[in-house]
Amino acid sequence: MARITAVGTSVPPHILKQTEICEFARHLFGDSFRDINRLLPIFRNGQVETRHFCVPLEWFGAKHTFSEKNALFQKWAVRLGVEAVKDCLAQARKSVADINHILFVSTTGIATPSIDSCIINELGMNPHTKRTPIWGLGCAGGAAGLSRAADYVTAYPHERVLLIAVECCGLTFQCEDKSKSNLVATSLFADGAAAVLIEGENTIQENGKQLQVIDTMSTLWPDTRDVMGWEINENGLKVIFSRDIPALVDQLLRPNMTEFFERNSMTQRDIRHFIAHPGGKKVIEAYREMLGVEPFYFSHALDILRRFGNMSSVTVLFVLQVFLKQGIAPGEYGIVTALGPGFSSEMLLVRG
């Protein structure tokens, strides 16, 4: 059985307040929306207060080529990834020599050789370390990476996997895109990285808090590819962001989650902890209404959203870190859940 034993995180140095970004958006989008003052409350009502970025605010007001943005992504992805790995291994009291396999998750830039190879070189890891880069899963990528890591150490119970997720959502920004999707994205997305240690059941167990992965489920719903994702154009990655996402949580995820519970001979009432990707305040509210639970069940997710915004695949791993540090009582169950492009869902059933 796979065990999640440590989570490390990293964020870039430029901290922007939501009020600053709101004023930036007012000037940038003002000529495109005559009702801009009616739209700007999304910055105030979305729960986000601060976010971290690889570049300062003035960078977003100028046009940048895809190659320029991608070069910045490669630089920062390595830096943030290395920092997150060091944090994770320090908490686990492990060294890079203990790692057998790296899974690297991202959706906000590209690199060949892949970023994980750069991180391996930077950290002086074993040159025989196995690596699997995963691209394009968007906000679902962190949960999907956990699932694939759990699959691996279940097959190889003497090994350890390091999941590294890095997203530089800010570097995808296109100032010439005056769409409502881009305005919404401007109010929400941010940069960050996380690293998670997942260990097989036959590895030497250290004292400390951990979560056992009981089961995982991936879902791709047909004919929903336009719900969210990227449109690739000459300027890079242009955001696609549907206003229907909260409604789809109830429509699609409710039967999906019920199926997941039933195949584990459980009901929702058996779940004490919801480790959810905070895609936005409305998405969390849709989760809560669908499940019929009190707001405090999503307090950790909303706190991460407030302090860091939506860092795509990384965000659910920030939420996971809080749950792992506080601990889940032995025998209690939690569910890790995230939605992403496709339209897709990733879920893990975990136990303290």
Side-chain angles (χ1 to χ4, degrees):
M1 184 176 294
R3 297 177 292 118
I4 300 170
T5 56
V7 182
T9 59
S10 176
V11 289
H14 297 282
I15 306 173
L16 298 182
K17 295 180 180 179
Q18 190 75 331
T19 51
E20 297 176 86
I21 302 173
C22 181
E23 283 307 303
F24 167 83
R26 182 193 303 276
H27 292 294
L28 186 67
F29 291 90
D31 292 339
S32 301
F33 297 103
R34 288 192 296 179
D35 58 347
I36 187 66
N37 289 327
R38 186 181 65 83
L39 298 173
L40 288 178
I42 61 172
F43 287 85
R44 183 177 63 253
N45 299 334
Q47 191 79 25
V48 180
E49 293 181 8
T50 56
R51 286 178 276 165
H52 293 250
F53 294 96
C54 300
V55 291
L57 183 59
E58 55 268 24
W59 184 91
F60 297 98
K63 186 174 180 178
H64 303 278
T65 65
F66 189 14
S67 61
E68 179 187 354
K69 290 186 279 190
N70 200 63
L72 283 169
F73 166 79
Q74 292 178 1
K75 168 189 169 183
W76 280 100
V78 175
R79 173 175 166 177
L80 295 172
V82 166
E83 290 175 357
V85 168
K86 289 180 177 179
D87 184 28
C88 177
L89 293 179
Q91 292 184 49
R93 299 193 295 275
K94 295 288 189 298
S95 73
V96 292
D98 295 308
I99 304 303
N100 306 103
H101 193 153
I102 283 181
L103 289 173
F104 179 79
V105 170
S106 188
T107 304
T108 47
I110 56 176
T112 304
S114 52
I115 296 296
D116 47 279
S117 68
C118 301
I119 292 174
I120 286 172
N121 283 316
E122 186 80 14
L123 291 172
M125 298 182 72
N126 187 330
H128 302 297
T129 303
K130 294 181 278 289
R131 56 193 183 93
T132 304
I134 302 173
W135 195 89
L137 295 178
C139 294
L146 289 173
S147 295
R148 301 295 76 77
D151 291 343
Y152 181 85
V153 298
T154 299
Y156 300 96
H158 289 89
E159 297 200 4
R160 296 183 176 93
V161 173
L162 198 59
L163 167 65
I164 307 170
V166 181
E167 302 288 5
C168 301
C169 302
L171 295 178
T172 70
F173 183 73
Q174 299 187 16
C175 67
E176 63 277 13
D177 175 11
K178 301 302 174 60
S179 67
K180 192 169 288 187
S181 286
N182 199 29
L183 178 64
V184 173
T186 303
S187 74
L188 189 58
F189 288 101
D191 305 344
V196 185
L197 182 63
I198 302 96
E199 303 185 64
E201 63 182 351
N202 292 342
T203 57
I204 297 175
Q205 297 191 24
E206 304 282 352
N207 293 326
K209 297 168 182 175
Q210 57 183 256
L211 293 175
Q212 296 177 325
V213 180
I214 307 302
D215 193 14
T216 70
M217 188 163 81
S218 301
T219 304
L220 177 66
W221 288 290
D223 304 320
T224 56
R225 65 189 305 269
D226 294 331
V227 172
M228 64 167 69
W230 299 121
E231 174 188 323
I232 313 291
N233 62 24
E234 65 276 9
N235 297 312
L237 306 173
K238 179 181 176 181
V239 67
I240 299 170
F241 201 59
S242 171
R243 63 183 297 176
D244 297 327
I245 294 171
L248 290 171
V249 171
D250 184 69
Q251 178 185 341
L252 298 177
L253 191 61
R254 183 191 295 271
N256 188 237
M257 197 170 282
T258 299
E259 178 188 354
F260 189 44
F261 292 151
E262 287 179 349
R263 84 179 194 186
N264 284 281
S265 301
M266 302 175 69
T267 69
Q268 177 197 310
R269 290 188 294 274
D270 296 309
I271 304 300
R272 296 291 304 275
H273 308 277
F274 295 94
I275 307 167
H277 166 66
K281 182 182 178 182
K282 287 186 177 180
V283 173
I284 291 296
E285 288 175 348
Y287 268 119
R288 187 179 65 78
E289 291 174 5
M290 177 195 76
L291 295 165
V293 297
E294 296 299 318
F296 73 85
Y297 279 99
F298 293 94
S299 58
H300 292 322
L302 287 171
D303 183 60
I304 293 299
L305 182 67
R306 178 181 63 83
R307 294 189 290 131
F308 299 101
N310 183 342
M311 299 169 286
S312 191
S313 68
V314 175
T315 327
V316 72
L317 305 181
F318 271 60
V319 181
L320 176 65
Q321 183 185 51
V322 178
F323 276 92
L324 193 62
K325 283 184 175 180
Q326 75 172 25
I328 291 179
E332 289 188 351
Y333 288 92
I335 186 166
V336 181
T337 177
L339 299 169
F343 188 50
S344 62
S345 164
E346 294 288 341
M347 293 187 290
L348 298 91
L349 179 65
V350 296
R351 183 175 62 203

